[in-house]
Amino acid sequence: MYSEKVMDHFQNPRNVGEIEDASGVGTEGNPTCGDLMTIYIKVEDNIITDIKFKTFGCGAAIATSSMITEMAIGKTIEEALKISRNDVADELEGLPPVKMHCSNLAADALRAAIADYKMKQAEKEQSKSS
């Protein structure tokens, strides 16, 4: 049912935890299945230098959270925003159709963390010019 890569990221998730002074935090959930994930990013010079996640959910939700952190670290904000839901599933060598929503959550949580980062940056800029 699951690829070896999905099982590996589920059993040995990478980048689990939270970043205390995160540059951005994004949380997404699916009320239908109960999955909930939060992604924390640290950004320096427009590059994601650290990324962590906390996920409550099924094995596929944990695997997609782990995979998206691996895919986004070291990328610029613009590059990270281009990571699609299908990219996450493809990197995991596929997900069962009933679990594709998990890759959607991971991509959406990353986008939410980046949106939070951008909002904080805009607020900093605004307070500088005030």
Side-chain angles (χ1 to χ4, degrees), residues 19-56:
I19 300 171
E20 288 298 321
D21 57 342
S23 305
V25 180
T27 300
E28 288 293 325
N30 183 325
T32 308
C33 65
D35 293 341
L36 182 67
M37 59 182 69
T38 301
I39 292 187
Y40 305 82
I41 58 173
K42 186 76 169 169
V43 181
E44 293 172 22
D45 298 325
N46 201 44
I47 295 174
I48 297 174
T49 57
D50 195 10
I51 184 167
K52 302 269 189 248
F53 77 91
K54 282 190 166 181
T55 295
F56 175 81

Side-chain angles (χ1 to χ4, degrees), residues 16 19 26 30 34 37-38 44 53 56 59-60 64 70 75 79-80 88-90 99 107 114-115 118-119:
V16 176
I19 300 171
N30 183 325
M37 59 182 69
T38 301
E44 293 172 22
F53 77 91
F56 175 81
T64 58
E70 291 283 286
K75 290 200 173 11
E79 290 168 335
V88 178
D90 290 347
K99 293 297 181 181
I114 291 170
K118 286 183 168 187
M119 187 183 70

Side-chain angles (χ1 to χ4, degrees), residues 1 68 126:
M1 183 169 169
I68 206 158
Q126 200 170 31

